[in-house]
Amino acid sequence: MASNGSSSERQRVAQHRLRIIAGHLQKDEDREATRIAAHACKAKATDTDEAITRRVPRKRQEVMKWNGWGYSDSRFLFNKKGEAEFTGKRYRLSGLILPSLKDWFEGTFGASLQYKTPATTNLNTSAVPPPFLNEAFVQDLKATEIPFSLEAEDRVFRSHGHCLHEIFALRDGKFGRAPDMVVWPNCHDDVVKIVELACQHDVCLIPYGGGTSVSSALECPPEETRSVISLDTSQMNRILWIDEKNLTARIEAGIIGQDLERLLNKSGYCTGHEPDSMEFSSLGGWVATRASGMKKNIYGNIEDLVVQVKMVTPRGVIEKSCLGPRTSTGPDVHHFILGSEGTLGVVTEVTMKIRPLPEYQKYGSVVFPNFEQGVACLREVAKHRCAPASIRLMDNEQFHFGHALKPQVSSIFTSFLDGLKKFYITKFKGFDPHRLCVATLLFEGDRERVLQHEKQVYDIASKFGGLAAGEDNGQRGYMLTFVIAYLRDLGMDYSVIGESFETSVPWDRVLDLCRNVKERIVRECKERGVQFSPLSTCRVTQTYDAGACVYFYFAFNYRGLGDPIHVYEQVEHAAREEILANGGSLSHHHGVGKLRKPWMRDAVSGVGMGMLRAVKEYVDPKNIFGNRNLL
Amino acid sequence: MASKALYSQRDPALKKRDDFEDVLEERRNSSDLRYALRCYTPVLYKGMTPCKASMLKTIVLQSEQLHYVVNQVSKETGEAMDIIQEEAAGILEEMAHRLQLSTIRFFAFTLSKAFKALFQGVRVNEEGIQRLQQAIQEYPVVLLPSHRSYIDFLIMSYILYTYDLALPVIAAGMDFLGMKFIGEMLRMSGAFFIRRSFGGDKLYWAVFSEYVKTMLRNGYAPIEFFLEGTRSRTCKSLTPKLGLLNIVMEPFFKGEVFDVSLVPISISYERILEETLYARELLGVPKPKESTSGLLKARRILSEDYGSIHVYFGHPVSVRTLAQGRINRSHYNLIPRHIPRRPSEETQSFVNDTAYRLVRQQEENMVLRPWVLIATVLLQNLDGLDSALLTEQVAWLRDVARSFGAFLDWPDHEPLSKVVSSSLALHHGLVCVAGGRVTLAQETQELSSPEEALFNRAVTVLSVASYRNQILHVFVRPALVAVAMQAAATTRKDDVYGFFSFIRNVFSNEFILCPGAAVQDFEEACYLLMKCGAVQILKQDIAVTDRGQPVLSFLNGMLEPFLQGYQMVCRYFCEEASEGVSERQYVPAVRSFAAKCILSDSLKCYEALSSDLQKNALAALLRMNALKKVKVADQVTLKVNKMAVQTLEDTLGGKVPVQKPVLARL
């Protein structure tokens, strides 16, 4: 419908969408709420001023935490009454009381609100080692008038991603090697100049996009002896053009996900690429790590979305000469760029597919008697290639986790209804509350098709004992995605540390892998002296023809441990070994970084490593892009 | 070395072992009927998918694994798929158990009666039971009892029922099915039946392995089988069979279960029900076919006293822990898991090492009664000895055995002489005490021919030897060193080691000696000898102490029958069969050769008549390339390398020094 490009029609859709969003931001009184859009879960722009496109300021620490996840104004805390609440105004959960979170938290981790492990509040700049500068480089850079900074706050902010050990150290007020300098190029040409200067003066460049890496990819290699420059792409965040005939757009690579969608939405389009980190992660980062979006079933993963890429390397600029949708021109050079993790150069501009905004979105959820049935259902859905935009299956532990995030219900009637639903599922249908699990669904498209699609999926689900469990449960499931990282900060306030990791695995091994990895985590924790039983939970987050992506959460209470991070790392290492032994991949979308390097050779074979090395050797012989990821 | 991790160098004598409880005690004081009918609610495996015995068959028949093989066989033979599938269903029908509680209750009742009549007690280590209970909940469990008697698995199920533990399914030989009614009873108490040999039968193997694996994966029940494959007629542990062990480990290798717990269980009998039956079998009287009437005839044994039984549940062994660093499970990543594959070399050697390790654990936890020591002393004094001297020697041996870490069940509060005399009384069929002298029992039929007399004597000797064999595992390593010290040209450590490793290799079918662990075995033996003060280990040499002489000569005596037996086999090949002999004729021929030697007084060793020893010697000769199997038409002939056999005989007799294998490790 919208694809014929009638602009007034698009306008209408966009208006409609904004209305929905606005409705949610005002924490809706009107009952349109049943037609929630996906974005309602994410933090929203507090300003609707279209002129402001620069969402990410150079001084990121002014709006974001320097030692935790996300916006400074948004955080979980236990208030004086011991109830959990989420501060700020950005999210749907903001300002709400979550009455069951405390019990879940204490029950699951054996944690106590009395036992606090608070973070250092202020960044002690004197504890940050002074920058080591290459004066000649600095002189030449000044001449280009590209802005840069030597301030400790700026450097520390770009010295890390969001791995547990990185955040834990920051909370402790400990700093490792930080970049010596931060530069903010404004466009492709700026990047070319910076890279040329870096080559000329032999300094190390580390590209920095959204900073959401969870693979130690942003850590400065401690063995690096040259001056390290963090190249922050955040100011390259424009949509250069939109081609409505071919449904493509040229976008600067520094743009972050939520801005990209917001800007495209205004023109009635979207990319549909929604990785869980999309509030903060950048287009360039997606390309460099082979990111995957929640709605890839409709829109594809980043490698399917990219039409053309421009990357600046020490050898020069690499890009393809046409926008043909597919070419047979030898191995696809894009695949040297996709997943290169900043080791070859900086992605500056990307031509990407766009789609008209969907007319209709609908959440849904299905309860299964157990995880096995749930996986069987997802497999069947994948077999019929009728997966909705998103379909995710949470295991029992995660189901309970999700429930703990239920806000206080406003009326007796709703709580009565909840009770009735629970009674129906557990007593009438005989589901064991300690075994059942839930799949969350998101449908997108034109209304009629969505409803048809929905019926098809629910029909399949019912063959596996699945019961439709409402839109609300589905939506809460997706909300968990966006607040989980905030929750980790809350856990760390009370001696609970945790992390997520992922893999992809053939269908026939999904159950075995999930069971074995979860069990391995529990066993390793016990063997390493963790006093409390850990949270070890997983969900199947993506379906493919030949397999699925599985996502694990792992957290434990570290009271009584001398070196919790070391224990944590050992357990995570063991879990990764277990994944590999069970036929899982080294990573589905987080990437390798430095964290998973030890397994890289086994993953791609010695010859494969040689190929990658040869490319690096040609493109960047002086190791200017010296973050030492991947290889 | 791979197996290094399997054996710790710690002092075996310090090994902590659990205490025993008699399960019959309660039976003697309360109603058997109420016991048989009591509420039975075992704890189950946490990951169990509940399913009925009949459902299991359906799962197996519909499995991808089986379909794959059915398809394959159908392609190979040109037979239609459904015919093969039906054949598979037939195999499964013949194999599958039909475990049901009512049969178990029936057995609980009748066995209570029978056990009370037969045994003084059935003693179980309750801590082991508790460990097992824990293990059952966590991971699929495989029970691995030692196998000395038909009643082993009845005892096992009986004990598990008594302690409210999950009842096992048991791999049993097809021969039991020969017993019409009993076979079906066993089936209903959890036995499933496998053919003794199905070498090339792909379909059979597929059905069988999938059946076992399905039960394991679903956590249907603990799986029980005998690592040794068959009952040991000699009471020595047998070289483990790897087939079933491979099958139960595979679900772990393939990631289908998180872990598998292997539980070695040692069942030791003070007096074995089949004792003389075994001896006769070893002497060539064929084993009676299993039949119900035979079992009924055996009723008379109910009037005898068979002492007590000790059942020791060892520590559950985690396959995952063992496999750590040895098995690369990602090996199975690139091929669908339902396609059958030969285990890799890495896997095979791992399974083999594990099997040996488990058998050794069974051995170590075997309870040894005073009679075992008496039998050991008697066999070194075949002409009998004074009862006071016997008592003295037994006491001496008890102390040596203890320092070597033997698991002795010795009534410390009783005077020694009483212990000895009551043991002798229990085994009155094998020994006679007359005029203060203890000798092996002898049938005094004057009329019998020398051959008959020889046979009767041999039955007694082999029966007594089966008790001595129970303690062999304690002494075998030091004894091999003792033999080596006697045979080696010098007292230098590497000379002794040279002969040790040679003789260890010769006897590696005879005793449980883990392949590739010669160095560890040598070190362990030296340590034990040093600890009991028999030798001093110097920098380069091993020196015998004054106190050590009796220990060493005792140890030498322990292996003497085997040395002589093997030499006899060599002599047979040199003198009688140098032109070769057909494999089938080998045992009868070598037996009559041995009998001839004994009758002509050129051989004193009755144990050389044992077919077990003869077969082991044959295997050793084949392994050492002194013999070769040649297949002509349908007959397998043994070709003799006379030189090699002669050299071996001379070396065993201490006439030729062993070719020195220089070992850098020492």
Side-chain angles (χ1 to χ4, degrees), chain A residues 501 516-525 527-528 554 566-582 599, chain B residues 258 320 324 329:
Chain A
F501 49 89
N516 290 351
V517 172
K518 289 199 291 187
E519 178 92 37
R520 178 79 181 259
I521 288 172
V522 172
R523 192 152 142 169
E524 293 284 336
C525 280
E527 278 170 18
R528 297 178 196 288
F554 154 47
H566 183 62
V567 171
Y568 171 81
E569 282 172 349
Q570 284 179 314
V571 178
E572 194 193 331
H573 187 95
R576 182 58 60 181
E577 297 266 322
E578 193 63 32
I579 285 173
L580 298 174
N582 283 277
W599 294 284
Chain B
F258 182 78
R320 174 176 279 265
Q324 180 93 47
R329 283 181 290 152

Side-chain angles (χ1 to χ4, degrees), chain A residues 149-423:
Chain A
S149 161
L150 305 178
E151 277 170 45
E153 281 105 336
D154 293 325
R155 290 164 47 224
V156 166
F157 199 95
R158 287 156 189 82
S159 66
H160 66 87
H162 282 272
C163 285
L164 174 70
H165 67 268
E166 295 171 315
I167 300 301
F168 196 87
L170 289 176
R171 287 172 61 95
D172 239 9
K174 295 202 180 94
F175 309 106
R177 172 90 147 99
D180 300 297
M181 182 178 180
V182 181
V183 290
W184 286 276
N186 197 41
C187 60
H188 171 79
D189 290 341
D190 282 356
V191 175
V192 173
K193 282 183 211 155
I194 294 168
V195 172
E196 270 170 11
L197 288 180
C199 292
Q200 193 184 325
H201 299 288
D202 195 21
V203 297
C204 171
L205 288 179
I206 297 184
Y208 184 91
T212 57
S213 152
V214 283
S215 58
S216 302
L218 292 169
E219 271 177 16
C220 303
E223 66 269 35
E224 181 59 66
T225 53
R226 298 170 293 181
S227 182
V228 177
I229 318 298
S230 179
L231 191 153
D232 185 326
T233 58
S234 61
Q235 308 309 305
M236 309 197 297
N237 59 0
R238 286 157 291 241
I239 295 179
L240 300 176
W241 45 253
I242 293 175
D243 177 349
E244 302 192 50
K245 293 232 167 49
N246 295 306
L247 287 178
T248 53
R250 184 70 164 177
I251 306 149
E252 287 185 313
I255 195 164
I256 57 168
Q258 58 170 325
D259 290 354
L260 174 58
E261 288 308 286
R262 192 165 41 83
L263 291 173
L264 283 175
N265 286 356
K266 281 181 195 156
S267 319
Y269 293 103
C270 66
T271 62
H273 185 67
E274 296 187 10
D276 291 357
S277 59
M278 70 172 288
E279 284 178 279
F280 306 106
S281 59
S282 69
L283 170 57
W286 300 337
V287 171
T289 55
R290 296 180 62 88
S292 170
M294 177 178 99
K295 297 194 288 193
K296 73 96 192 152
N297 292 335
I298 294 183
Y299 301 96
N301 286 319
I302 193 71
E303 67 272 22
D304 310 309
L305 289 165
V306 163
V307 178
Q308 202 258 15
V309 189
K310 188 148 78 174
M311 178 164 81
V312 182
T313 79
R315 273 279 167 196
V317 175
I318 173 175
E319 63 178 328
K320 285 191 192 174
S321 65
C322 73
L323 297 178
R326 180 186 188 274
T327 58
S328 172
T329 46
D332 190 341
V333 291
H334 279 173
H335 286 294
F336 290 130
I337 300 168
L338 286 153
S340 58
E341 304 195 359
T343 58
L344 299 178
V346 190
V347 177
T348 53
E349 290 173 15
V350 179
T351 303
M352 213 178 161
K353 297 179 194 170
I354 56 171
R355 298 289 302 164
L357 274 173
E359 175 196 349
Y360 188 63
Q361 276 190 323
K362 194 174 181 191
Y363 286 99
S365 66
V366 182
V367 179
F368 292 98
N370 54 45
F371 192 64
E372 290 78 6
Q373 293 281 60
V375 171
C377 172
L378 260 63
R379 203 283 159 265
E380 191 69 12
V381 166
K383 194 172 177 177
H384 289 102
R385 292 194 169 167
C386 65
S390 169
I391 178 166
R392 286 177 173 178
L393 179 74
M394 302 192 261
D395 69 359
N396 185 265
E397 291 86 349
Q398 218 162 110
F399 167 74
H400 288 293
F401 185 11
H403 254 254
L405 290 172
K406 235 176 175 172
Q408 208 156 29
V409 281
S410 40
S411 73
I412 298 175
F413 182 66
T414 344
S415 85
F416 173 72
L417 267 185
D418 281 352
L420 212 60
K421 261 189 262 171
K422 197 170 162 191
F423 176 81

Side-chain angles (χ1 to χ4, degrees), chain A residues 19 30 50 79 104 108 117 242 252 261 307 332 345 347 462 485 513 516 551 559 606:
Chain A
R19 241 191 350 266
D30 67 350
E50 294 187 24
N79 61 23
W104 177 85
T108 307
T117 48
I242 293 175
E252 287 185 313
E261 288 308 286
V307 178
D332 190 341
V347 177
S462 71
L513 181 132
N516 290 351
Y551 208 90
R559 266 178 85 176

